[in-house]
Amino acid sequence: MAITFGDAIEVLALDDKEREKLPYLKGVYKCAVYALEKQMPKKPEFIHMLDSKRGLFQCGCGNTIIHDCYSRDDVLYCQKCGQKQSWSKASETEG
């Protein structure tokens, strides 16, 4: 049985006793974890600069992204897989 995001939301909204009765609970949690992981920003891999302002990057799914390097929020999510992108510098994310 395939679990949709809508199904997962309905099951997660149930109280604990009702959730314990469901045989497909593992699929619901996998679906929820998958959706939450997409919301956690990940740094795309830098490939090369296209010009003085724009760079070519690659998402973990393999999709290429053209990013304005002077703007942190021109591309917030990968158009192919939906992964949230992180454009912060390494020194800002460490620590």
Side-chain angles (χ1 to χ4, degrees), residues 12-31:
L12 292 171
L14 295 173
D15 64 33
D16 290 340
K17 288 183 181 181
E18 290 298 314
R19 260 194 309 245
E20 290 173 2
K21 297 176 187 176
L22 301 174
Y24 56 90
L25 191 58
K26 187 175 184 178
V28 168
Y29 282 110
K30 281 184 179 181
C31 185

Side-chain angles (χ1 to χ4, degrees), residues 37-50:
E37 286 175 343
K38 291 291 183 182
Q39 294 302 309
M40 296 175 62
K42 293 185 180 177
K43 291 189 78 55
E45 179 183 344
F46 173 74
I47 299 173
H48 62 81
M49 292 299 292
L50 297 172

